[in-house]
Amino acid sequence: MASWAALSPSIVEYFEGEDSYRCGYCKNESGSRSNGMWAHSMTVQDYQDLIDRGWRRSGKYVYKPVMNQTCCPQYTIRCRPLQFQPSKSHKKVLKKMLKFLAKGEISKGNCEDEPMEPTMEETVAGDFALINKLDIQCDLKTLSDDLKESFESEEKKKGKSPKKEESKGLIQSQHIEEKLGSGEPSHTIKMHMAPKPGKGADLSKPPCRKAKEIRKERKRLKLMQQNPAGELEGFQAHGEPPSLFPPKANKSNQPKSLEDLIFESLPENASHKLEVRVVRSSPPSSQFKATFQESYQVYKRYQMVIHKDPPDKPTVSQAENPPHGPDCGYGSFHQQYWLDGRIIAVGVIDILPYCVSSVYLYYDPDYSFLSLGVYSALREIGFTRQLHQKTSQLSYYYMGFYIHSCPKMKYKGQYRPSDLLCPETYVWVPIEQCLSSLDNSKYCRFNQDPEAVDEGRSKEPDRLQVFHKKAIMPYGIYKKQQKDPREEAAVLQYAGLVGQACSERMLLLRN
């Protein structure tokens, strides 16, 4: 019989109206405006579709800025890693890290003045005021049981078996696994494997490659060019995809790739060793549990030193492992940066069907001189390219929000090529075509076609799925039971913000 976990959809609780709170960018006490909902569970496909409509998560709270009203409009930005070439400032950061690893050299410059250094205000500090206003209690186990009971009851009425109808009916879910918690083990992807006992391998070096391997690699690259959508083999030894290291031939005529710069050879007697591990954070893997306290101490110190905030444990999303997805599966992960055997930074990322989405980064303030914000972003771009080798449709790196009106948040526009999301039609527009308009106005419609509309807009609100009193029903049936006119306004507002596809897949929890 099909497991319940494989059938579990997203369950969201929408907060009607708009919330005003203190802006983390311009410091306006009530100028930041957004719509929001609480995700009791969320599939990766639904979250992918939501961020492609301008939504963003902070823990389990998912919010969408009211773009034409908020004081600092926040435009979703994505980088195209497959065409990405590091800029001079990016190369400077990578070289600084290599010098530190090789010789222990520490940059003498004032790191706080570096224009590319990101801050946590976007995803954590700027949202603390908003999140702390929520006081939501929900028994997830009871909610799950109620939903399961409702679903099975619905199937019995139809005379169908849940196993046979796994991909049909009102609740559809492809390759979806755990939504409300699981004890399943996770994968760990290491950018460099630890040396075997008795071997003096350098953790910071790329794997040694023989002439035969280079010939195979050239053949593989040729095949990739002939069939770019073809599926490649998974991660090889040392955790590196085979095609990310181009042959050394004619290297002098080509600029160094991102991978060349990241994995440049270090001397045998290097001063430091850096290792990057990717561990699943939800459901928590054994590796995540084993390193949680160390990781949390880094987060706590980061919050206290950098942001002067009280520490708050990061929250995480759900996990899914479809057969044709990346080896590590989809969901929420921590990318841990281990320096000489201890964690100095953690990048929180979501791996989604079409992208790696950067959630936030925290690091040990003692290592601010390494520009870890920039360095981690470059590693995440490289990681996206790596995942693309196994899962060809996963080809974008989402950097959260681009805020043109906030000088310290414009650094994201330097990761090129990149696109901004039109806040009205939800199509992607190259950032170069948007900047002149943003110089003239904080809020802009990037789509230049005046006739273009939101193709994913809610067209049939009666098909929206509602979860009410242990029952799942279309909104067309639910609204006949309601007499409060405010209820219809709230549901229609929600439908317009999430779009038709998500409104039919996600369950809107109504009390």
Side-chain angles (χ1 to χ4, degrees):
M1 183 174 178
S3 67
W4 162 242
L7 304 174
S8 178
S10 300
I11 306 172
V12 298
E13 187 171 357
Y14 179 69
F15 306 117
E16 60 185 284
E18 298 162 358
D19 196 9
S20 298
Y21 54 97
R22 185 175 186 272
C23 178
Y25 309 109
C26 70
K27 310 306 179 185
N28 186 313
E29 289 300 326
S30 60
S32 188
R33 300 179 66 85
S34 69
N35 299 106
M37 57 188 176
W38 190 264
H40 295 287
S41 68
M42 179 69 69
T43 70
V44 293
Q45 184 60 62
D46 286 339
Y47 186 55
Q48 175 74 68
D49 289 349
L50 287 174
I51 61 175
D52 283 335
R53 292 184 64 82
W55 291 81
R56 178 84 169 153
R57 83 171 180 90
S58 185
K60 289 183 179 292
Y61 184 76
V62 190
Y63 63 101
K64 185 181 189 301
V66 183
M67 296 292 283
N68 60 352
Q69 297 180 30
T70 191
C71 55
C72 296
Q74 303 162 59
Y75 299 92
T76 302
I77 183 171
R78 72 178 187 185
C79 173
R80 285 174 260 153
L82 304 187
Q83 293 83 39
F84 175 80
Q85 285 295 330
S87 66
K88 288 184 179 180
S89 62
H90 296 152
K91 292 176 182 178
K92 182 179 178 182
V93 170
L94 294 173
K95 288 178 181 177
K96 178 166 58 176
M97 175 63 80
L98 288 171
K99 287 181 179 179
F100 173 71
L101 295 176
K103 303 178 181 178
E105 291 184 8
I106 297 177
S107 174
K108 296 180 181 179
N110 185 351
C111 301
E112 295 180 357
D113 293 333
E114 293 185 10
M116 292 291 288
E117 194 69 38
T119 73
M120 281 278 284
E121 286 189 358
E122 176 185 342
T123 51
V124 179
D127 299 322
F128 272 160
L130 185 150
I131 295 170
N132 289 339
K133 290 171 67 176
L134 302 176
D135 184 20
I136 302 171
Q137 299 294 329
C138 178
D139 186 336
L140 294 185
K141 184 178 185 302
T142 301
L143 185 62
S144 178
D145 291 342
D146 289 347
L147 183 58
K148 179 179 180 180
E149 179 183 333
S150 173
F151 179 77
E152 291 178 344
S153 174
E154 185 74 17
E155 295 301 329
K156 287 179 181 178
K157 289 179 184 179
K158 296 177 182 179
K160 299 173 183 178
S161 165
K163 182 176 181 180
K164 294 180 181 179
E165 295 300 313
E166 197 165 319
S167 61
K168 298 180 181 179
L170 295 176
I171 302 177
Q172 297 184 8
S173 180
Q174 278 191 319
H175 309 307
I176 293 174
E177 293 191 355
E178 191 57 71
K179 293 293 159 294
L180 296 175
S182 167
E184 291 298 315
S186 71
H187 295 75
T188 296
I189 301 173
K190 295 186 179 182
M191 305 305 283
H192 297 291
M193 297 292 286
K196 295 180 180 180
K199 303 287 185 181
D202 189 337
L203 296 180
S204 302
K205 283 188 175 183
C208 296
R209 298 159 64 249
K210 297 179 181 179
K212 183 178 180 180
E213 293 174 337
I214 294 175
R215 288 196 297 271
K216 286 183 178 179
E217 184 174 285
R218 288 174 180 168
K219 183 177 180 181
R220 188 185 300 274
L221 285 169
K222 186 176 181 181
L223 289 173
M224 280 183 60
Q225 292 171 354
Q226 295 173 351
N227 182 25
E231 184 175 304
L232 297 177
E233 295 178 7
F235 298 106
Q236 292 186 331
H238 300 277
E240 300 300 340
S243 61
L244 285 184
F245 295 96
K248 298 296 181 180
N250 299 322
K251 199 65 179 178
S252 59
N253 298 328
Q254 300 177 4
K256 285 188 176 182
S257 69
L258 177 62
E259 289 74 25
D260 291 332
L261 294 167
I262 290 176
F263 299 107
E264 189 169 317
S265 297
L266 293 172
E268 292 291 338
N269 60 344
S271 298
H272 301 284
K273 297 185 186 300
L274 178 69
E275 180 183 0
V276 179
R277 304 177 189 175
V278 179
V279 299
R280 183 180 290 283
S281 58
S282 179
S285 65
S286 57
Q287 298 92 339
F288 177 81
K289 292 177 181 178
T291 59
F292 175 78
Q293 284 302 324
E294 183 175 356
S295 176
Y296 179 67
Q297 290 306 313
V298 175
Y299 176 79
K300 182 178 179 180
R301 189 154 183 267
Y302 178 91
Q303 287 299 112
M304 295 176 66
V305 175
I306 304 297
H307 292 289
K308 316 299 181 187
D309 287 327
D312 192 300
K313 183 172 68 177
T315 54
V316 290
S317 185
Q318 316 305 319
E320 303 172 29
N321 296 79
H324 302 296
D327 289 348
C328 56
Y330 296 119
S332 296
F333 295 82
H334 280 194
Q335 197 165 43
Q336 301 173 336
Y337 293 79
W338 291 75
L339 182 69
D340 301 332
R342 72 184 189 92
I343 298 175
I344 65 164
V346 176
V348 180
I349 59 174
D350 292 328
I351 300 179
L352 303 176
Y354 306 119
C355 73
V356 169
S357 176
S358 177
V359 182
Y360 56 83
L361 171 82
Y362 55 92
Y363 56 85
D364 187 331
D366 288 345
Y367 294 92
S368 295
F369 63 89
L370 289 173
S371 302
L372 291 170
V374 181
Y375 183 77
S376 64
L378 296 172
R379 291 295 296 243
E380 288 170 8
I381 289 173
F383 183 52
T384 306
R385 289 157 64 132
Q386 182 175 334
L387 295 177
H388 173 76
Q389 305 306 314
K390 170 70 189 304
T391 309
S392 59
Q393 73 269 19
L394 202 163
S395 54
Y396 295 102
Y397 173 61
Y398 283 49
M399 298 178 281
F401 290 134
Y402 173 81
I403 306 169
H404 192 76
S405 57
C406 181
K408 66 180 178 181
M409 295 305 297
K410 291 169 70 173
Y411 71 89
K412 295 182 181 181
Q414 298 182 36
Y415 293 81
R416 303 287 181 91
S418 57
D419 309 299
L420 297 183
L421 186 67
C422 176
E424 295 182 10
T425 62
Y426 303 111
V427 297
W428 294 97
V429 181
I431 192 171
E432 295 86 352
Q433 299 177 24
C434 306
L435 296 179
S436 59
S437 298
L438 289 171
D439 286 337
N440 296 322
S441 174
K442 286 185 178 181
Y443 174 75
C444 297
R445 171 192 167 108
F446 300 136
N447 192 328
Q448 297 301 308
D449 181 0
E451 303 298 323
V453 296
D454 170 19
E455 296 295 339
R457 66 190 182 280
S458 175
K459 301 173 184 176
E460 300 179 81
D462 283 357
R463 293 174 61 87
L464 179 150
Q465 295 299 297
V466 176
F467 183 40
H468 177 62
K469 292 183 178 180
K470 301 184 179 182
I472 300 170
M473 65 190 78
Y475 176 65
I477 295 176
Y478 170 78
K479 70 179 181 180
K480 294 178 182 178
Q481 307 172 10
Q482 305 302 312
K483 298 181 180 180
D484 188 346
R486 293 175 299 178
E487 178 74 6
E488 181 176 17
V491 173
L492 293 180
Q493 183 185 52
Y494 159 82
L497 293 170
V498 303
Q500 186 69 34
C502 280
S503 72
E504 291 189 42
R505 288 197 308 259
M506 302 193 304
L507 301 184
L508 176 62
L509 183 62
R510 304 305 288 176
N511 295 322

